[in-house]
């Protein structure tokens, strides 16, 4: 838990004026602003999620912020990475971000880590900060963050986006859930980055601000923290839902014999994609429509996973599929296939998973 010593923290006359609207709030006040100033936050990734989080955390008066990234700014970043402009193209993100943030709050110390996080440098970097905000877009880095935050007892705030949807979770907080409890570490998982699926810029802004908000609530000691659940956001429907994550006391974490997705798959009937073309099965492709249109198994039916969960979809399947027909589930990520297969299992519908061709 974040519990800083604030007796030696001074708030200047200039800061009193700057944060006056904070200090009249019941949950902040003078002591709360001192706690904010004492906070040390690391943002891993200075992209679509990192930029809005950095902007608001810097403006709120955080005393020290670290930024780690080694990417250069490109034109495709400008729709959502709001710290940058056309003049910054081909510059390093962390350097452009630091310059912009120091204009907003010169009293905030900005530390730049001009490289990517990896297993060799992660412990040395993360141990220096109180809260770690994961603003990355790849599973490999997320699992490194998960393992090191658990090892060092650091609070980890995860955010993810795709198209018009996003999710946020507070992890490793008060002996709560970890990232590996939400997404089991599995070599078959594929990264859903913005270049692949696209994203509305406002989506990344919304999720990044939520991550920053949760960080400030933890620093201020506010109890209404989104703990042990994932906050699911859909901007098309303007919908927010909390999904509670339950962990059995008998269920260990990663590196302690966690039942991996590969082990779960071993209990399911699996047929390789290259062996499915000539078989007479009903195949449901649960990917998004644009992925299905780009390439799909002949005769397969496209029902995206978000619709697959609906009761009317299950009723449709039951009404149009004979009892002696087995259904195939296809997706290029095995975790989504498992979700769809589990839904069918719960409705007593025979099914198998079609394993996608590996891309080397």
């Amino acid at each position: 838990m974040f519990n800083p010593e604030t007796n030696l923290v001074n708030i200047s006359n200039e800061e009193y004026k700057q944060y006056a609207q904070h200090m009249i709030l019941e949950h902040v006040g003078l002591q709360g602003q001192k706690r904010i100033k004492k906070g040390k936050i690391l943002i891993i990734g200075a992209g679509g999620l990192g930029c809005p989080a950095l902007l608001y955390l810097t403006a709120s008066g955080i005393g020290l912020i670290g930024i780690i990234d080694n990417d250069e700014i490109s034109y495709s970043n400008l729709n959502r990475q709001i710290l940058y402009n056309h003049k910054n193209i081909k510059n390093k993100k962390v350097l452009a971000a630091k310059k912009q943030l120091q204009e907003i709050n010169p009293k905030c110390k900005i530390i730049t880590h001009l490289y990517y996080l990896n297993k060799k440098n992660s412990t040395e970097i993360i141990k220096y900060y109180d809260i770690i905000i994961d603003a990355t877009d790849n599973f490999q880095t997320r699992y490194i963050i998960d393992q090191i935050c658990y090892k060092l007892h650091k609070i980890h705030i995860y955010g993810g986006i795709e198209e018009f949807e996003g999710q946020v979770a507070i992890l490793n907080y008060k002996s709560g859930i970890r990232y590996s409890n939400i997404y089991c570490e599995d070599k078959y998982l594929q990264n859903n980055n913005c270049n692949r699926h696209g994203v509305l810029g406002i989506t990344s802004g919304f999720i990044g601000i939520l991550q920053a908000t949760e960080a400030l609530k933890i620093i201020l000691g506010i109890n209404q923290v989104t703990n042990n659940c994932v906050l699911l956001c859909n901007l098309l429907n303007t919908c927010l839902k909390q999904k509670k994550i339950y962990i059995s006391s008998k269920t260990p974490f990663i590196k302690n014999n966690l039942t991996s997705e590969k082990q779960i798959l071993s209990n399911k009937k699996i047929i390789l994609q290259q062996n499915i073309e000539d078989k007479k099965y009903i195949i449901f492709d649960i990917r998004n429509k644009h992925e299905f249109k780009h390439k799909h198994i002949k005769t397969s039916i496209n029902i995206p996973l978000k619709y697959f969960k609906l009761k009317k979809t299950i009723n449709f399947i039951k009404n149009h599929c004979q009892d002696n027909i087995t259904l195939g589930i296809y997706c290029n990520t095995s975790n989504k296939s498992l979700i769809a297969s589990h839904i069918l299992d719960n409705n007593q519908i025979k099914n198998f998973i079609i394993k996608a061709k590996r891309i080397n």
Side-chain angles (χ1 to χ4, degrees), residues 76-97:
S76 64
N77 299 149
L78 300 183
N79 78 314
R80 63 196 182 281
Q81 299 181 18
I82 54 178
L83 276 172
Y84 317 124
N85 57 52
H86 289 82
K87 295 179 182 178
N88 301 132
I89 299 299
K90 294 187 178 180
N91 291 339
K92 291 290 186 180
K93 289 182 180 180
V94 293
L95 300 180

Side-chain angles (χ1 to χ4, degrees), residues 266-324:
S266 67
N267 297 322
K268 296 294 300 183
K269 181 179 180 181
I270 299 173
I271 297 179
L272 299 178
Q273 180 182 342
Q274 55 266 35
N275 298 332
I276 204 71
E277 296 287 356
D278 299 327
K279 303 292 183 181
K280 293 182 179 179
Y281 299 117
I282 294 179
I283 301 168
F284 290 113
D285 189 320
I286 62 172
R287 297 174 300 161
N288 294 327
K289 289 182 179 179
H290 67 271
E291 293 178 286
F292 179 78
K293 289 180 179 178
H294 176 67
K295 190 175 182 180
H296 61 267
I297 299 172
K298 188 170 65 174
T299 72
S300 61
I301 301 169
N302 183 218
I303 302 180
L305 183 59
K306 61 182 178 181
Y307 300 118
F308 204 88
K309 301 174 183 179
L310 301 178
K311 186 175 181 180
K312 62 181 181 181
T313 302
I314 297 300
N315 290 336
F316 169 82
I317 293 172
K318 286 182 175 180
N319 292 334
H320 292 83
C321 297
Q322 300 175 9
D323 292 338
N324 59 345

Side-chain angles (χ1 to χ4, degrees), residues 125-172:
I125 298 168
I126 288 175
K127 71 178 183 181
Y128 188 69
Y129 298 90
D130 304 312
I131 297 174
I132 312 303
I133 293 183
D134 174 6
T136 64
D137 63 358
N138 68 87
F139 287 107
Q140 182 179 2
T141 306
R142 288 170 183 164
Y143 288 125
I144 292 172
I145 298 168
D146 172 67
Q147 292 167 20
I148 301 304
C149 284
Y150 181 65
K151 174 184 174 182
L152 299 177
H153 307 287
K154 299 293 183 180
I155 300 166
H156 169 198
I157 302 178
Y158 156 71
I161 53 172
E162 181 181 351
E163 298 181 357
F164 295 89
E165 300 178 349
Q167 50 188 238
V168 175
I170 297 176
L171 309 169
N172 207 44

Side-chain angles (χ1 to χ4, degrees), residues 225-284:
V225 171
T226 311
N227 194 24
N228 288 327
C229 64
V230 180
L231 182 63
L232 304 173
C233 313
N234 187 319
L235 270 63
L236 279 181
N237 302 329
T238 318
C239 178
L240 296 176
K241 294 181 180 179
Q242 283 191 357
K243 182 176 181 181
K244 194 74 175 176
I245 306 296
Y246 296 96
I247 309 172
S248 168
S249 59
K250 296 180 180 180
T251 305
F253 290 105
I254 281 181
K255 303 302 182 185
N256 292 321
N257 298 319
L258 175 68
T259 300
S260 69
E261 187 174 318
K262 187 176 180 182
Q263 290 172 306
I264 298 171
L265 284 169
S266 67
N267 297 322
K268 296 294 300 183
K269 181 179 180 181
I270 299 173
I271 297 179
L272 299 178
Q273 180 182 342
Q274 55 266 35
N275 298 332
I276 204 71
E277 296 287 356
D278 299 327
K279 303 292 183 181
K280 293 182 179 179
Y281 299 117
I282 294 179
I283 301 168
F284 290 113

